[in-house]
């Protein structure tokens, strides 16, 4: 193999996981190329995420120099009951932020000429000397390493571990954003809080995030809500994933194609089941996104010269709030394993061994936090002896597991 191929890495998927890996490898001397199926517009599609200092540290290692505040600071979380009264509190100062606050700086830190948008990965072949990626447009590239960072429906994983498929958890996450300036004065005391509510079914979460141009100035921020909402597998889920032309989308539906009647039904349900001041967020939201919740665990993250990373390898439900951090930690572990020795398959085995235990623990915790929505455990306030109490739920949601938890 030519020398350049000996240090060439192909990254499939140009979202946060792919960009963490690409930036980290580039800065360690790799000749990295990212291939992303979407042509443009990823930067404007995300909603809110919990911010963790660990993510910031890996962003710095990936070459991101970012002077902005990491997000909007909240002092803790509170749970409200059916009347809107505070039922539990947990003191936990942290920043909450927008997905774009991670994606955009990572994208800017990576050389544009190495980021190939509109390129859909279609297949791979590997041998002792290297790996070749094939694209839907008929082109191909050969390299020493291929990183599958192509999300929970990974086409890379479908080749190296076809038996691994996402398992639907029985509920979806409805997400929405509202501009701060659009709320009534009555929403002001709620706006700055990280709030959890439990309508007859599901769980509703809300918190502030930065607004346009990452502004955290009062009046210019946004409010992010997330409603975990049971939707039976089968006809009900299929209907939700069907667009106005009758096309059924497998696994998830692009936000712009969600049928207005589903949004109207969600808003009507909010008016009926969520305490009035809190229902203002779903009522005023303009951008909606629906995310079916899946569990996914891969048996390995290294297959010869092919690594799986981020949601392509393990999907933890969003309750634990560490999807971005998990992808960042995968990328750092991958870069470190590759730096430890020249043999790529050996390095990928070491990477896999390092990342599988924390990934499994994260998935398990996220399933526990969602078990009451699936009705596998009672609602948090219903029978504290059986599962999750409200204070425990507030403590465990939206934060990484301690390092020694697995
Ligand atoms: C636009 C967007 C917005 C998001 N917003 C949020 C959010 O607000 N909150 C949150 O918690 N999580 C959000 N996520 C999910 C979050 O990024 C992941 O859960 C997690 O961070 C792991 O990221 P990932 O890079 O492994 O996977 P993903 O973020 O899912 O990225 C996978 C990437 O691979 C690309 N891809 C897929 N198949 C192919 C193919 N065959 N060829 C080439 N490219 C392919 C996809 O277009 C996508 O860009 C968002 C993801 C995207 C893509």
């Amino acid at each position: 193999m030519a020398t350049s191929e000996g240090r060439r890495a192909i990254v499939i998927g140009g979202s946060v996981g792919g960009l963490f890996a690409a930036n980290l490898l580039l800065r360690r001397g790799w000749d990295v190329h990212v291939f992303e199926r979407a042509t443009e517009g990823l930067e404007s599609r995300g909603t809110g995420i919990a911010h963790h200092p660990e993510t910031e540290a890996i962003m710095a290692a990936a070459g991101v120099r970012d002077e902005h505040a990491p997000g909007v600071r909240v002092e803790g979380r509170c749970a409200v009951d059916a009347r809107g009264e505070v039922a539990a509190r947990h003191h936990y100062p942290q920043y909450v932020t927008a997905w774009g606050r991670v994606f955009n700086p990572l994208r800017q830190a990576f050389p544009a000429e190495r980021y190939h948008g509109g390129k859909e990965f279609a297949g791979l072949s590997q041998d002792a000397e290297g790996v070749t990626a094939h694209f839907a447009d008929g082109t191909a590239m050969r390299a020493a390493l291929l990183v599958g960072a192509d999300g929970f429906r990974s086409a890379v994983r479908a080749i190296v571990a076809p038996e691994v498929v996402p398992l639907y958890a029985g509920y979806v996450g409805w997400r929405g954003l509202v501009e701060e300036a659009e709320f009534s004065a009555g929403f002001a005391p709620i706006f700055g809080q990280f709030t959890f509510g439990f309508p007859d079914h599901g769980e509703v979460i809300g918190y502030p995030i930065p607004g346009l141009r990452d502004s955290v100035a009062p009046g210019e921020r946004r409010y992010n809500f997330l409603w975990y909402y049971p939707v039976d597998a089968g006809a009900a889920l299929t209907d939700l994933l069907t667009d106005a032309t009758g096309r059924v989308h497998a696994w998830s539906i692009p936000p712009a194609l969600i049928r207005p009647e589903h949004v109207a039904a969600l808003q009507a349900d909010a008016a009926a089941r969520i305490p009035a001041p809190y229902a203002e967020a779903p009522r005023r939201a303009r951008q909606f996104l629906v995310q079916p919740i899946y569990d996914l665990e891969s048996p390995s993250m290294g297959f010869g010269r092919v690594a799986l990373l981020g949601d392509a390898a393990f999907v933890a439900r969003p309750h634990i709030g560490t999807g971005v951090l998990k992808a960042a930690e995968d990328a750092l572990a991958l870069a470190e394993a590759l730096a430890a020795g020249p043999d790529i398959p050996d390095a990928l085995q070491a990477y896999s061994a390092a990342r599988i235990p924390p990934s499994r623990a994260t998935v398990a915790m996220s399933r526990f936090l969602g078990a009451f929505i699936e009705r596998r455990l009672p609602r948090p306030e219903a029978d504290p002896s059986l599962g999750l109490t409200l204070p425990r739920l507030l403590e465990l949601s939206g934060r990484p597991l301690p390092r020694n938890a697995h």
Side-chain angles (χ1 to χ4, degrees), residues 71-290:
V72 181
R73 189 179 153 95
V74 290
E75 294 307 318
R77 297 92 182 270
C78 68
V80 296
D81 64 19
R83 288 162 299 143
E85 309 286 334
V86 173
R89 282 190 193 279
H90 177 67
H91 180 69
Y92 185 68
Q94 75 178 128
Y95 286 97
V96 274
T97 194
W99 181 84
R101 288 287 294 110
V102 180
F103 174 81
N104 292 336
L106 284 171
R107 178 80 174 80
Q108 280 149 18
F110 191 71
E113 67 278 11
R114 292 177 172 274
Y115 188 98
H116 311 284
K119 288 284 275 190
E120 181 168 0
F121 167 85
L124 67 84
S125 50
Q126 60 172 325
D127 52 45
E129 303 300 318
V131 53
T132 304
H134 300 275
F135 299 96
D137 61 7
T139 59
M141 181 183 265
R142 189 153 170 87
L145 166 72
L146 185 144
V147 180
D150 51 345
F152 77 101
R153 289 180 290 166
S154 171
V156 176
R157 188 189 64 237
I159 295 168
V160 294
E163 74 285 6
V164 182
V165 286
L167 298 175
Y168 179 57
Y171 58 99
V172 304
W174 274 99
R175 295 174 184 264
L177 290 179
V178 189
E179 300 294 332
E180 183 173 6
E182 291 183 15
F183 280 109
S184 71
F187 199 78
I190 297 172
F191 187 89
Q193 308 248 26
F194 194 160
T195 314
F196 293 68
F198 308 91
D200 303 341
H201 55 225
E203 178 183 24
V204 186
I205 296 170
Y207 52 86
I209 63 170
L212 209 58
R213 289 181 291 281
D214 301 328
S215 175
V216 293
E220 296 180 356
R221 299 167 294 181
R222 288 182 175 138
Y223 189 79
N224 169 83
F225 80 86
L226 173 52
W227 189 347
Y228 294 110
Y229 198 100
V231 175
D232 289 340
L237 183 63
T238 303
D239 184 51
L240 186 58
L241 300 182
T242 303
D243 68 25
T245 70
R247 181 176 163 211
V248 180
H249 296 260
W251 307 104
S252 61
I253 181 164
L257 301 183
I258 298 170
R259 298 203 319 276
E261 70 232 48
H262 286 302
V263 172
L266 185 84
Q267 290 173 317
D269 207 14
R273 296 179 197 240
I274 298 181
Y278 293 88
E280 193 174 335
R283 191 171 79 242
R284 291 198 189 273
R286 300 252 165 85
Q287 302 174 33
F288 285 92
L289 198 144
V290 68

Side-chain angles (χ1 to χ4, degrees), residues 13 15-17 36-37 46-49 99 119 121 150-151 311 323-324:
S15 176
V16 289
E36 165 57 48
R37 180 173 57 187
T47 58
I49 58 170
W99 181 84
K119 288 284 275 190
F121 167 85
D150 51 345
D311 281 6
V324 167

